[in-house]
DNA sequence: CCATCTTTGTGCACGCGTTCACAAAGACAT
DNA sequence: ATGTCTTTGTGAACGCGTGCACAAAGATGG
């Protein structure tokens, strides 16, 4: 789900596939764990297992970065950690603002994974004047009025939106206008952004719905397969009684 | 197309592509909004715009569900809402347990998007005995010891893991052993599950790293493109001075 | 009843991502 | 040195997802 690829078709080695980029953080995490255990080298097979991917895929992914392995031995853990970090841009400091300090926003502010990888919470912003000044995760919340100034003063290019859905687009527009070019959106809305701005969305509700789909499919197959031998564990979850929200509309 | 179903061997849910399933919740959300505004019908073009996708893609997605549109008119909003809800399994009630009631777990418990679509928080579970009984989002937290009993008593098949990374696999194992077959994982770890169990992961850190990659790439292209005309807005974020964490390991 | 207009449903082609399978590269022992 | 053994790096085939472009289907108006 990359952005519009209207630019040049990646002339040279700079053509790292999006799918590969999405896996690099996974490798990095596994490698960091190995590094902390002072493991000097690792084979593609081992690392792939740790990252939960296919070893051939991992090797191909690494091949996009360069030939960093040694045949017959594997990959140097420390060196690979550095290469991936550099490729992901984690060797530099990324100031981040979080907008919308509700339950989720506060949780994000407290999340340790931020600081661990070059991401620094530059500011917490909320529209509620009552929140202003109140410290969350050791950082005083600032009012939305300050948004533009904060972004410009801190050179922020990454913004996190954790507001209610209704406010998300408006916040997004202001972030973009102030210079933010990457947005992580937790609000359940489709954000409209101009060319050149990246948006990634995290939507809890969608994830659950996808799980429900597969869950239903599993239940259906199971029921069809063992129609005469129902699972003993089943209590009363399969009853269609509480189907309160029935169609109310008939097919044409 | 007009010649009945001889075309597709798997008439039912069998043939719905994963990519399509992932978009159905998006369509559903847009349709629900239209429904609340009492809009009777919608064209693929309009709906696609609202959902942020290509209209041809949307039509193809819907074609997997069946021919629910009317040529020359569009799609009946209410009817489509029902069809997608049913396909996703949202016409039934899905009890969910959340394990790990820290900042994130509490935020999830308070998240309104849960209840809105057939998902019901059946229980909040935490390993800290001090949390037991304490109400979060109106639901008393229960101790991990109760996990198996809760799952069986409520017929829970979907579990949400919001524990620290170190505890995630253990919690996962217990959930699966107790009968959970779908897991939404917020812990930054690769979960190992047996065949037949679905896992979806939401990883804030990974999302940020992916954004950082693109951000870095954008900065690089920009710098290369206007090497002689640096953007005036740039403060001092591009200096490579603070590259404190240098390799420490050299390439072989 | 026919003509026209709108919008769906889909055949087709293309590109990306995944996986297999293997030759090449290097380590290591003799 | 030479041979063997391990593991990487990648060519090639395949499958999935996307988007175009258009014919068919139905609405609508005369």
């Amino acid at each position: 789900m990359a952005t519009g690829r209207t630019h040049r078709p990646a002339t040279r080695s700079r053509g790292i596939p999006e799918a590969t980029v999405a896996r690099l953080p996974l490798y990095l995490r596994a490698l960091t764990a190995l590094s902390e255990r002072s493991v000097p080298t690792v084979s593609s097979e081992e690392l792939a297992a740790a990252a939960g991917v296919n070893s051939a895929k991992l090797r191909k992914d690494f091949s996009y970065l360069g030939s960093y392995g040694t045949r017959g031995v594997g990959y140097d853990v420390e060196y690979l950690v550095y290469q991936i970090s550099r490729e992901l841009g984690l060797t530099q400091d990324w100031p981040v603002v979080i907008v919308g300090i509700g339950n989720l926003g506060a949780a994000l502010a407290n999340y340790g994974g931020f600081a661990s990888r070059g991401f620094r919470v530059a500011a917490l912003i909320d529209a509620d004047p009552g929140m202003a000044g109140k410290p969350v995760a050791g950082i005083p919340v600032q009012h939305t009025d300050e948004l533009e100034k904060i972004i410009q003063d801190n050179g922020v290019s990454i913004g996190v939106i954790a507001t209610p859905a209704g406010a998300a687009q408006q916040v997004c527009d202001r972030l973009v206008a102030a210079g933010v070019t990457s947005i992580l959106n937790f609000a359940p809305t489709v954000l409209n952004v101009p060319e050149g701005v990246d948006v990634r969305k995290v939507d809890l509700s969608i994830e659950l719905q996808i799980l429900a789909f597969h869950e239903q499919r599993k239940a259906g197959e199971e029921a069809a397969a063992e129609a005469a031998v129902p699972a003993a564990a089943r209590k009363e979850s399969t009853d269609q009684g509480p189907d309160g929200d029935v169609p109310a509309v008939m097919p044409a």
Side-chain angles (χ1 to χ4, degrees), chain A:
Chain A
M1 47 190 69
T3 53
R5 190 160 298 277
T6 51
H7 290 305
R8 64 186 58 179
T11 324
R12 282 304 172 91
S13 57
R14 275 307 167 209
I16 300 183
E18 188 59 30
T20 295
V21 173
R23 282 189 293 268
L24 289 182
L26 226 54
Y27 302 145
L28 182 56
R29 179 182 297 154
L31 285 165
T32 303
L34 291 172
S35 173
E36 282 168 3
R37 290 195 293 143
S38 300
V39 177
T41 62
V42 64
S43 71
S44 64
E45 205 71 46
E46 293 170 311
L47 186 55
V53 302
N54 183 296
S55 70
K57 193 187 298 186
L58 178 142
R59 287 198 300 274
K60 180 147 288 190
D61 283 342
F62 285 173
S63 77
Y64 292 117
L65 308 184
S67 292
Y68 294 153
T70 305
R71 296 174 191 228
V73 176
Y75 298 92
D76 182 293
V77 172
E78 295 297 328
Y79 183 55
L80 206 45
V81 164
Y82 170 67
Q83 287 299 340
I84 294 179
S85 294
R86 194 175 52 79
E87 199 67 55
L88 285 172
L90 305 182
T91 53
Q92 62 182 281
D93 185 67
W94 293 103
V96 170
V97 295
I98 301 176
V99 185
I101 314 301
N103 283 301
L104 180 59
L108 296 178
N110 279 291
Y111 180 51
F114 266 123
S116 71
R117 298 236 178 281
F119 299 100
R120 179 172 51 82
V121 179
L124 304 179
I125 302 174
D126 198 283
D128 178 11
M131 292 282 295
K134 231 178 74 175
V136 172
I139 303 169
V141 175
Q142 294 177 270
H143 190 262
T144 315
D145 292 345
E146 313 287 333
L147 190 146
E148 285 78 9
K149 178 168 165 44
I150 293 168
I151 289 174
Q152 264 134 40
D153 286 358
N154 295 81
V156 173
S157 57
I158 300 178
V160 177
I161 297 179
T163 66
Q169 183 62 60
Q170 198 176 350
V171 167
C172 173
D173 291 341
R174 287 184 64 181
L175 287 173
V176 170
V180 165
T181 47
S182 287
I183 292 177
L184 182 51
N185 179 32
F186 285 87
T189 321
V190 175
L191 288 183
N192 235 324
V193 295
E195 183 95 2
V197 176
D198 280 309
V199 175
R200 295 192 68 86
K201 70 170 190 297
V202 174
D203 194 316
L204 167 56
S205 172
I206 286 182
E207 299 300 324
L208 277 179
Q209 289 175 53
I210 294 172
L211 284 178
F213 171 84
H214 292 296
E215 198 61 37
Q216 185 185 41
R217 202 169 51 79
K218 277 186 274 187
E221 280 178 1
E222 182 182 292
E226 41 181 283
V229 188
R234 193 56 57 96
K235 283 282 181 181
E236 56 179 18
S237 59
T238 50
D239 59 358
Q240 286 138 314
D243 216 317
D245 46 354
V246 210
V249 174
M250 288 299 295

